[in-house]
Amino acid sequence: MPKISIKGAQMPESPIRKLVPFSEIAKKKGNKVYHLNIGQPDIKTPEVAMEAVKNIDITILEYSHSAGFESYRNKLSQFYKSTGLPINSEDIIISTGGSEALLFAMGSTMDQGDEIIIPEPFYANYNGFSTASGVTVVPVISSIDTGFSLPPIADFEKLITSKTKAILICNPGNPTGYLYSKEEMMQLADLVKKHDLFLIADEVYREFTYDGDVHYSVMNIPGLEENAIMIDSVSKRYSMCGARIGCIVSKNKELMATAMKFAQARLSPPTFAQVAAEAALDTPQSYFDEVISEYRERRDTLVTELNKIEGVKVANPKGAFYCIAELPIDNADTFAQWLLESFDFNGETVMVAPAAGFYSTPGIGLNQVRIAYVLKKEDLIKAVQILKEAIKVYNAK
């Protein structure tokens, strides 16, 4: 029998999606499942984006330019400039989601066996993108006790070798919700300039910041033009996860010329989705004001309710719409599966994402879960109540 590739065998499962079969079984039993496991907002996509697709007048569904529609890139550049980011249209390549932009970034900056340093816990698919690119992830651990703030720069520096090509951060963070300060960003900038590395910043949650904290972009750092790569997406900003439109952004012309070769190899990003994404740029500020206010209330509700459970530790997120909670259990993978297979509270249960899958260091985060507060407040309160009852039953087994 033919064998699959070593790379294929090493590709990690998604900790977010691997429990889906168990949730389907729970639903077939008649149980309601509260999905706290995935960053799929229940916020409506802006009408302006949906109308643009409904009303499009084309007779041939053509390829676009490999970098994406020129009109979209020009309009996106103006959007960035309006938010204080000095980004021109030639600094942008539209991608099929932020995922493809990350693959372009890795493919353009790293060779087989090269290393990328990432603070963990991190977005689980960074492991998959790295495996697909033949790149080794070198983790630097951040702690729930510090709210997952940036680890000391000395911790990064001692991990840098001749194979290190980049540092990757998610800001604000998935799965932690941590928002890096300007001072922390400047520390990273000094480090990558000192060692001639790239600093890749996944900024898809840029708008989602709370408590008056301000997002400081990698593109705002003076003197970092040759080192900085920004990853962006429409998925969360406009609740358009299914559009699969993102972009890679950099002032480094050699890097962008290289990324363009990867873009050409996949021909072009999807046409209808670009139409929607371009139209979404006309979304009024009132939409974002309402969305941010809603997420802030959801965050406060979730953290308040979790803190009522004895033995639970939770880091208060400063941005995005996730938090990491440490539970008084032995193994979150086993617990999460048990929740779906064997537990219900009045015909309801919850689905969480075991946090070990967001680390690459073995044995870390085994009693942690990522919770996405993408449900309305009433559902979050119910879900945490179910979680509280489940922990009691689980630990009494």
Side-chain angles (χ1 to χ4, degrees):
M1 176 178 171
K3 292 188 175 181
I4 62 167
S5 66
I6 294 173
K7 181 188 290 186
Q10 291 175 343
M11 276 292 285
E13 275 189 302
S14 168
I16 307 165
R17 295 175 181 267
K18 69 181 182 181
L19 293 169
V20 167
F22 300 104
S23 73
E24 291 170 345
I25 291 170
K27 290 172 186 176
K28 285 177 182 176
K29 288 180 183 176
N31 291 333
K32 178 176 180 177
V33 177
Y34 290 95
H35 285 273
L36 304 177
N37 62 303
I38 193 164
Q40 172 58 63
D42 63 354
I43 305 294
K44 281 190 176 180
T45 302
E47 278 296 321
V48 66
M50 304 301 285
E51 288 299 318
V53 175
K54 289 177 187 175
N55 298 327
I56 191 170
D57 182 19
I58 58 174
T59 55
I60 301 174
L61 196 57
E62 298 177 332
Y63 292 122
S64 75
H65 191 288
S66 291
F69 294 150
E70 183 178 10
S71 58
Y72 180 32
R73 285 180 283 125
N74 287 337
K75 197 170 178 181
L76 188 55
S77 167
Q78 292 306 309
F79 166 76
Y80 286 137
K81 287 175 180 175
S82 73
T83 64
L85 299 183
I87 296 170
N88 301 316
S89 58
E90 61 267 27
D91 304 328
I92 303 168
I93 294 175
I94 305 302
S95 58
T96 308
S99 299
E100 188 178 66
L102 280 159
L103 287 166
F104 286 176
M106 288 186 181
S108 301
T109 61
M110 285 166 262
D111 292 311
Q112 189 83 20
D114 281 342
E115 297 173 350
I116 184 167
I117 298 174
I118 314 178
E120 62 178 355
F122 52 72
Y123 176 45
N125 281 334
Y126 293 164
N127 275 325
F129 302 148
S130 300
T131 300
S133 302
V135 173
T136 301
V137 170
V138 178
V140 54
I141 298 175
S142 61
S143 169
I144 194 171
D145 296 321
T146 64
F148 298 106
S149 62
L150 187 75
I153 288 297
D155 290 358
F156 284 87
E157 197 149 28
K158 68 185 180 185
L159 297 174
I160 295 173
T161 71
S162 60
K163 292 184 177 181
T164 308
K165 293 297 185 293
I167 293 172
L168 169 59
I169 61 168
C170 187
N171 185 34
N174 173 9
T176 65
Y178 186 77
L179 178 70
Y180 292 109
S181 67
K182 179 179 179 180
E183 291 70 26
E184 288 172 321
M185 292 298 295
M186 296 305 291
Q187 289 176 34
L188 287 171
D190 290 342
L191 182 66
V192 298
K193 283 193 286 188
K194 177 181 176 181
H195 293 278
D196 205 23
L197 307 174
F198 288 100
L199 178 56
I200 305 172
D202 182 345
E203 299 187 359
V204 304
Y205 298 97
R206 181 191 302 108
E207 281 77 19
F208 302 96
T209 64
Y210 316 114
D211 309 323
D213 292 315
V214 178
H215 178 266
Y216 191 70
S217 173
V218 71
M219 299 303 292
N220 280 134
I221 301 175
L224 202 67
E225 291 79 9
E226 297 303 308
N227 308 75
I229 302 172
M230 185 180 88
I231 306 298
D232 203 2
S233 168
V234 304
S235 290
K236 314 303 179 179
R237 178 176 300 128
Y238 305 111
S239 193
M240 288 171 59
C241 296
R244 309 312 306 136
I245 291 291
C247 60
I248 178 173
V249 179
S250 182
K251 295 283 185 182
N252 185 315
K253 295 189 183 306
E254 185 179 8
L255 167 80
M256 293 302 283
T258 304
M260 177 56 81
K261 290 188 282 187
F262 286 91
Q264 290 169 343
R266 63 84 165 100
L267 304 182
S268 68
T271 296
F272 281 136
Q274 286 186 83
V275 170
E278 183 173 336
L281 290 168
D282 292 326
T283 302
Q285 183 59 40
S286 58
Y287 172 89
F288 298 106
D289 293 341
E290 291 174 13
V291 169
I292 299 305
S293 176
E294 177 66 22
Y295 276 126
R296 185 187 302 113
E297 291 180 17
R298 291 180 181 188
R299 179 203 62 174
D300 293 345
T301 298
L302 176 65
V303 171
T304 297
E305 295 301 313
L306 285 171
N307 280 325
K308 293 178 182 177
I309 304 177
E310 185 178 354
V312 169
K313 182 188 293 184
V314 58
N316 193 43
K318 296 182 177 183
F321 38 69
Y322 307 99
C323 72
I324 292 284
E326 198 166 273
L327 307 181
I329 56 172
D330 54 355
N331 186 294
D333 275 283
T334 305
F335 176 67
Q337 185 173 328
W338 172 83
L339 275 171
L340 297 167
E341 275 190 316
S342 307
F343 178 81
D344 73 271
F345 182 66
N346 297 329
E348 298 181 329
T349 190
V350 296
M351 187 174 181
V352 294
F358 296 90
Y359 293 83
S360 64
T361 301
I364 303 293
L366 293 178
N367 63 340
Q368 296 177 355
V369 296
R370 187 194 75 167
I371 296 175
Y373 44 97
V374 293
L375 305 179
K376 60 185 180 181
K377 295 184 287 294
E378 296 81 4
D379 286 348
L380 287 172
I381 292 170
K382 283 184 183 178
V384 177
Q385 177 62 32
I386 294 165
L387 197 61
K388 179 180 179 179
E389 297 300 322
I391 290 170
K392 288 181 191 174
V393 175
Y394 185 78
N395 287 331
K397 288 193 302 170

